[in-house]
Amino acid sequence: MFNHQVPVGTTQAQIEAQVQTIYPNLLAIFNGRPNPNQFYGLAWDGTVWA
């Protein structure tokens, strides 16, 4: 979830500029994380991964 607080009196244009700067950084961090589904469907049967 994304939460960004701004001081009272901040204009909409300023908020939009901040969000446009912050969002790509958060997206890069998210995309850099390992894929949680990369091992979906794999199981160890005691001898090999199936």
Side-chain angles (χ1 to χ4, degrees), residues 11-24:
T11 67
Q12 182 175 347
Q14 291 171 324
I15 295 170
E16 289 174 358
Q18 290 174 1
V19 170
Q20 289 172 356
T21 301
I22 294 168
Y23 181 79

